Amino acid sequence: MSATEFYQQGNEARKRSQWHEAINAYIKAIELDPKYAMPWNNMGSAYGNLGDHNKEIEYCRKAIELDPKDAYPWNNMGYAYGELGDHNKAIEYCRKAIELDPKYAYPWNNMGYAYGKLGDYNKAIECSRKAIELDPNSPAVEAKRML
């Protein structure tokens, strides 16, 4: 199989929340093509889903090194830092993701969460509204229900 096929296999495992299976497929993709950024990013995200946000940061950082113009690893870094309680750093990474892809809803949602944790509820609401505007199925919809 090719690196792309292993990457796709990992993505199929992620859809089923089979995080270890996904990680194993991404490792194989990376072994075949170490400069292929997306398996690094998605492996980081899979580790984040397992609760290992330090590994999430490690692998997403590598994805950024390989492809600094991709918004996804920047967003995942923001999410991971938020989960680790570094909300200012979370905002910094989410802003970069938004700069790279202003129509990507998830960094808006993650940034809103970080602002909420910092007690800046106006900015939190503003970010959540933007996330919902961009993606009516965004996780921010659940946050809106709590307002």
Side-chain angles (χ1 to χ4, degrees), residues 1-10 24-33 36 39:
M1 284 178 53
S2 70
T4 301
E5 289 168 323
F6 278 116
Y7 170 69
Q8 291 169 344
Q9 186 180 65
N24 290 332
Y26 296 137
I27 288 170
K28 290 175 184 171
I30 290 165
E31 286 171 350
L32 291 171
D33 186 355
Y36 188 9

Side-chain angles (χ1 to χ4, degrees), residues 19-90:
W19 309 118
H20 293 289
E21 182 182 329
I23 289 166
N24 290 332
Y26 296 137
I27 288 170
K28 290 175 184 171
I30 290 165
E31 286 171 350
L32 291 171
D33 186 355
K35 294 185 178 184
Y36 188 9
M38 286 310 297
W40 289 100
N41 174 68
N42 288 14
M43 185 163 59
S45 177
Y47 273 111
N49 281 295
L50 290 170
D52 191 338
H53 300 292
N54 289 311
K55 277 191 178 179
E56 181 176 18
I57 288 168
E58 175 186 346
Y59 293 119
C60 289
R61 185 171 284 130
K62 180 66 176 178
I64 289 169
E65 178 186 311
L66 293 168
D67 186 2
K69 293 183 179 182
D70 183 359
Y72 287 85
W74 291 95
N75 173 62
N76 290 342
M77 293 277 285
Y79 173 80
Y81 278 114
E83 289 298 301
L84 292 172
D86 190 341
H87 303 295
N88 287 312
K89 199 169 253 190

